[in-house]
Amino acid sequence: MIKTLSKIYQFSGKMQGTMKKTILFSVLHSLFDMMSFGALVLVFSGLIDGFTTSMIWMIFGITLTSMMLKICCSYISDFGKVQIGYFMCAEKRIHIGDRMKYMPMGYFSDHNLGNLTSVVTTTMGDIENNASMVLTNILGGYIHATIVTIVMFYIDWRIGLTILCGILLFTWCISRLQKKSETVSPQRQQAQETLVSNVLEYVQGMLIVKSFNLSHSSNSKMKQAILDSKDKNLKLERTFVPYNMLQQIILYGTSILVIVEGLYFYLNGTMALSICLLMTVASFMLFGQLQSAGNTSALLRLLDVSIDKVNEIDKTPVMDEHGKPVKPENYNIVFDDVSFSYGEHQVLDHVSLNIASGQTIGILGGTGSSKSSLVQLIPRLYDVSEGSVSVGGVDVRRYDLEALRDAVAFVLQKNELFSGTIKDNLRWGNEHATDEEMIHACKLAQADGFIQSFPDGYDTYIEQGGTNVSGGQKQRLCIARALLKNPKGLILDDSTSAVDTATDALIRKAFLEEIPNVTKIIIAQRVASVMDADQIVVLDDGRLIDVGTHDELMGRNQIYREVYESQMKGGDKE
């Protein structure tokens, strides 16, 4: 229990000061609550021996002061609990988002999207709603119980000893509950992650589900995840309920025992009537906060698992985000004997390649030839397994990661647009871009024409994922967004595959005329898209087969010539 409470405190980060304040006011609330016992002693003494005016005013003053101070402490403590939960989880979510930028892409390939989503939503939600409450309730409950025990020992050591024994039994019950939930809580956590994963998969694949009429079979997988989640949650509750009942039996039993002892000691003449009456009334007030601590203690193990799950992300190795702010004299790109593997599977085999600053490079190869893997090493989406990649004569691993990625614009195979206007999406490339700069970039990407045809022009709203624009329009918007970065290098990873050949040619012509000093690397399936490049790289099964101009490769490289002739026969001409 102490270990988990310490873990919650460490997790609170910058909110630790607020947490200390919350606990302090919880302690003060307990102290002021004890003042009411003093008022009760005076009331019972007055009933037995008679009241005086000064006694009545004293009872009134103590009660009013106790009540007002408890209200103030309760307000500060309760508001602090809420503040801690929201603020510490907001801070952690931002931290996770920032950290993900420095994680290698392999992390996202190895981890299910549903698991990642579950961590920042369901798991963090459990922590957000319960962590600070559990910590302050348990600490507050035990602090209150400690103060009560001390006071009772002062009044009558026999009653104090009874209360102490009840608290020890209560603590034993909580420890047994924690032991019992060690297996069940992780199972519930896993069920929640599986549920989120299956729901995401079902929603994202809705088009395929409808196209192939798979609604029954695909829905059954999600239904099973829902049922598993329900079963694990019920199992968790079934584990908690008997121990919660036992906690109540212990506390209520101790309260009853205090009443019986008080009456017994009074009848034996070893306790004053006023103290006996105090014990009888106080027995109903002794364990209120401790009972609240017991009710929330059931969540301790669940929070322990949740915090461990979130902290796993912090243990994930990240690329060095503290590289040097290098300013190279040029932006020549050199692959020096580069090999790269996804785990045990090698995809690039000793590739060496020189790309001069400002050149246009085409990369061709069949499916699985590792064209994308090669260029993803430049902005360090992945790191090489062997060899090195350098920009301007400096190994990319020595660059400040943000500076490196600012210098290189990457338009991926899978183009992604976000919900918002066209302007909002374009400003992902440059948040300070003016309207004129956006229009210029869109003209280079051949996107301005179709944007102007929309009734709202650049203020047209784009649905999440760009579902209300065509594939070709989406690609051109993504190219325009990349151009707004004013990059030194531009990588197009099969980014004009959904664009007709005439528009593709206009994009290449605009690049040649408008951004001649930018290094352009174009991965394409169509030879026509790269045949005017300064160099064309031919890859096959992760190996560099040949490098040369279109004419040179036509004369000496059979693979290139066969691809070109097959496409020309198929009518793929500009």
Side-chain angles (χ1 to χ4, degrees):
M1 181 171 69
I2 295 174
K3 182 180 176 182
T4 304
L5 293 177
S6 175
K7 193 178 290 185
I8 294 172
Y9 177 75
Q10 295 299 324
F11 188 86
S12 63
K14 294 179 181 178
M15 298 303 296
Q16 288 178 1
T18 305
M19 187 166 282
K20 289 177 183 177
K21 184 178 76 172
T22 302
I23 294 169
L24 172 62
F25 277 93
S26 180
V27 173
L28 292 174
H29 183 280
S30 299
L31 290 172
F32 297 139
D33 193 39
M34 290 298 101
M35 291 174 64
S36 59
F37 282 10
L40 284 173
V41 171
L42 293 174
V43 169
F44 294 140
S45 297
L47 289 173
I48 296 169
D49 302 324
F51 288 100
T52 64
T53 303
S54 61
M55 183 183 293
I56 293 172
W57 279 109
M58 186 178 294
I59 293 169
F60 175 75
I62 292 173
T63 304
L64 180 64
T65 303
S66 173
M67 181 183 67
M68 295 302 295
L69 290 174
K70 283 197 297 181
I71 289 172
C72 291
C73 290
S74 180
Y75 172 79
I76 295 172
S77 179
D78 291 344
F79 183 76
K81 292 176 190 177
V82 175
Q83 188 181 29
I84 290 165
Y86 289 128
F87 274 79
M88 76 176 181
C89 287
E91 180 187 45
K92 200 68 177 180
R93 285 185 175 113
I94 292 170
H95 170 72
I96 290 172
D98 289 338
R99 189 174 179 82
M100 282 183 176
K101 294 190 295 185
Y102 299 105
M103 292 178 182
M105 291 301 295
Y107 175 85
F108 302 98
S109 302
D110 297 338
H111 290 75
N112 188 287
L113 177 61
N115 293 343
L116 294 174
T117 305
S118 178
V119 167
V120 296
T121 54
T122 307
T123 303
M124 290 289 284
D126 288 339
I127 298 171
E128 186 174 59
N129 295 325
N130 300 310
S132 61
M133 177 191 68
V134 168
L135 178 64
T136 51
N137 278 8
I138 291 177
L139 287 180
Y142 271 97
I143 290 169
H144 181 269
T146 302
I147 293 171
V148 167
T149 304
I150 293 171
V151 171
M152 290 303 168
F153 263 107
Y154 177 76
I155 295 173
D156 190 297
W157 68 269
R158 296 167 297 182
I159 299 295
L161 186 62
T162 300
I163 292 172
L164 178 61
C165 290
I167 293 171
L168 292 175
L169 275 172
F170 177 83
T171 304
W172 171 83
C173 184
I174 288 180
S175 67
R176 293 300 303 166
L177 173 61
Q178 300 309 305
K179 194 77 174 175
K180 195 76 174 177
S181 63
E182 281 183 0
T183 304
V184 184
S185 293
Q187 291 176 353
R188 183 262 186 188
Q189 186 70 44
Q190 184 59 48
Q192 290 294 104
E193 291 178 7
T194 303
L195 174 60
V196 173
S197 178
N198 278 279
V199 170
L200 277 174
E201 184 180 53
Y202 183 73
V203 173
Q204 291 174 338
M206 186 57 67
L207 181 61
I208 302 300
V209 170
K210 290 183 176 182
S211 299
F212 289 90
N213 196 25
L214 299 173
S215 56
H216 177 73
S217 58
S218 59
N219 197 29
S220 63
K221 186 178 179 182
M222 187 176 70
K223 282 182 178 178
Q224 186 59 49
I226 293 171
L227 291 174
D228 286 343
S229 177
K230 178 206 70 174
D231 291 340
K232 293 298 185 293
N233 276 288
L234 286 174
K235 186 177 180 181
L236 190 69
E237 292 300 323
R238 291 192 189 102
T239 302
F240 290 162
V241 167
Y243 287 94
N244 286 336
M245 290 178 62
L246 181 58
Q247 289 171 10
Q248 293 184 43
I249 290 170
I250 291 171
L251 295 181
Y252 289 140
T254 304
S255 296
I256 293 170
L257 189 57
V258 167
I259 296 172
V260 172
E261 282 184 327
L263 293 171
Y264 177 77
F265 295 147
Y266 168 70
L267 293 174
N268 281 347
T270 57
M271 180 179 284
L273 178 59
S274 60
I275 301 299
C276 175
L277 292 173
L278 174 65
M279 293 298 107
T280 302
V281 175
S283 64
F284 297 100
M285 305 163 56
L286 291 173
F287 301 117
Q289 291 195 38
L290 195 61
Q291 187 172 357
S292 177
N295 293 335
T296 55
S297 68
L299 298 170
L300 271 175
R301 184 57 188 167
L302 182 63
L303 288 171
D304 188 65
V305 174
S306 297
I307 290 172
D308 285 342
K309 194 71 180 176
V310 174
N311 286 338
E312 276 183 19
I313 296 178
D314 278 335
K315 298 175 185 177
T316 304
V318 295
M319 295 176 171
D320 181 19
E321 68 270 37
H322 302 297
K324 298 177 181 178
V326 179
K327 292 185 178 180
E329 295 181 0
N330 58 62
Y331 284 87
N332 297 337
I333 300 171
V334 177
F335 291 81
D336 184 13
D337 196 30
V338 168
S339 294
F340 174 67
S341 302
Y342 294 111
E344 299 296 323
H345 177 55
Q346 185 170 2
V347 294
L348 288 172
D349 186 14
H350 299 285
V351 174
S352 294
L353 176 65
N354 293 320
I355 302 173
S357 182
Q359 276 192 325
T360 298
I361 303 298
I363 301 180
L364 284 176
T367 302
S369 60
S370 301
K371 304 182 294 295
S372 298
S373 298
L374 179 70
V375 296
Q376 286 173 356
L377 299 176
I378 300 171
R380 290 191 71 193
L381 299 183
Y382 295 92
D383 271 338
V384 298
S385 302
E386 296 178 28
S388 66
V389 179
S390 63
V391 175
V394 180
D395 193 312
V396 293
R397 289 169 290 190
R398 291 177 53 198
Y399 275 85
D400 175 82
L401 199 55
E402 288 192 9
L404 175 66
R405 290 176 180 172
D406 280 341
V408 179
F410 205 134
V411 185
L412 299 167
Q413 283 179 318
K414 184 179 179 182
N415 299 287
E416 190 68 41
L417 293 177
F418 302 94
S419 56
T421 65
I422 290 176
K423 284 183 180 180
D424 293 336
N425 274 274
L426 293 174
R427 286 197 171 106
W428 278 80
N430 178 3
E431 60 181 325
H432 303 297
T434 64
D435 288 353
E436 291 75 17
E437 288 171 333
M438 285 188 281
I439 292 171
H440 179 66
C442 288
K443 284 182 177 179
L444 293 182
Q446 306 303 308
D448 182 66
F450 74 79
I451 294 173
Q452 298 289 4
S453 70
F454 295 147
D456 295 324
Y458 282 81
D459 292 315
T460 299
Y461 188 83
I462 300 294
E463 300 292 345
Q464 185 177 3
T467 54
N468 58 331
V469 292
S470 70
Q473 290 172 337
K474 189 190 298 186
Q475 287 185 333
R476 282 176 277 172
L477 286 172
C478 290
I479 292 171
R481 181 174 62 193
L483 291 172
L484 280 170
K485 288 181 69 175
N486 294 318
K488 303 298 182 182
L490 176 64
I491 302 171
L492 304 180
D493 187 358
D494 203 16
S495 304
T496 57
S497 57
V499 174
D500 60 82
T501 53
T503 303
D504 186 15
L506 289 173
I507 292 173
R508 286 184 282 113
K509 183 174 181 290
F511 284 178
L512 180 65
E513 294 174 353
E514 298 287 342
I515 51 172
N517 296 323
V518 175
T519 304
K520 297 168 283 292
I521 301 176
I522 303 171
I523 296 176
Q525 299 293 336
R526 297 187 295 223
V527 173
S529 297
V530 298
M531 60 189 301
D532 295 328
D534 298 310
Q535 289 189 90
I536 301 171
V537 178
V538 181
L539 290 177
D540 184 44
D541 196 25
R543 291 176 291 112
L544 193 151
I545 303 300
D546 207 344
V547 180
T549 64
H550 170 71
D551 292 335
E552 290 171 345
L553 293 175
M554 284 294 292
R556 70 175 184 238
N557 189 280
Q558 184 178 353
I559 295 176
Y560 182 83
R561 186 168 56 250
E562 289 177 353
V563 172
Y564 174 78
E565 289 174 352
S566 66
Q567 290 185 4
M568 292 304 103
K569 287 179 182 177
D572 191 8
K573 301 178 181 179
E574 297 180 25

